[in-house]
Amino acid sequence: MTNVGQIHIESSDFDLVLRESFAEIEEGIAAAIETANGVIGLFESRNETEAYTALAKLLDAARIFFTVFNEDLGWVDPENVEIPRSAVPAALERALTQVISAQESRSWLLLCDIIQYELIPILESWKSPVAATRAAAN
């Protein structure tokens, strides 16, 4: 316990905490999409070292969001979405397999396509449940 240091606990109105949580998730998704576009830009400018570092951050963010959205937390599944929540695990597995293959072949062009056409749509698809759940909670 001495290594942990101080722990600060805050309390607040449940509605406020819920609104802040949704806002943080939306900001995180937007940041991940921005990172994805940044990775593409870095590869296009042939800055592979920074691109692979940013790609690692992107994949870590995708892992975290996958964990959050895969939990049954009462997420509302909106209709008419490009990738329904139930299809995300298979789509993400396919995308990650393609990412690994592209990295092994050192094909940054293929990697950019996978990010653009596989990963970004998955990130975009996570916006809908957040918005729908936020609307249902209000």
Side-chain angles (χ1 to χ4, degrees), residues 15-129:
D15 290 341
L16 176 63
V17 171
L18 192 61
R19 283 192 302 274
E20 288 175 354
S21 296
F22 284 130
E24 287 175 9
I25 291 171
E26 288 173 332
E27 289 170 10
I29 292 169
I33 292 169
E34 186 176 315
T35 298
N37 287 315
V39 170
I40 293 169
L42 288 167
F43 276 120
E44 288 174 345
S45 65
R46 303 202 186 275
N47 192 341
E48 290 187 31
T49 303
E50 283 187 47
Y52 280 115
T53 300
L55 178 61
K57 290 178 184 177
L58 172 62
L59 295 177
D60 193 43
R63 178 190 57 80
I64 291 168
F65 287 122
F66 175 76
T67 301
V68 168
F69 289 108
N70 210 35
E71 291 291 323
D72 186 14
L73 301 174
W75 294 110
V76 174
D77 282 323
E79 295 180 25
N80 302 324
V81 293
E82 185 176 338
I83 304 173
R85 251 180 10 107
S86 61
V88 168
L92 189 57
E93 182 179 355
R94 182 179 60 248
L96 294 177
T97 301
Q98 292 174 347
V99 164
I100 292 167
S101 177
Q103 285 180 308
E104 287 173 350
S105 66
R106 309 255 326 138
S107 174
W108 63 264
L109 185 59
L110 176 59
L111 196 49
C112 289
D113 283 348
I114 295 164
I115 293 167
Q116 179 87 33
Y117 300 111
E118 300 286 336
L119 287 177
I120 290 177
I122 291 169
L123 293 169
E124 291 281 350
S125 77
W126 284 328
K127 289 180 177 181
S128 297

Side-chain angles (χ1 to χ4, degrees), residues 1-9:
M1 288 298 286
T2 57
N3 292 340
V4 173
Q6 293 183 348
I7 299 174
H8 299 278
I9 300 174

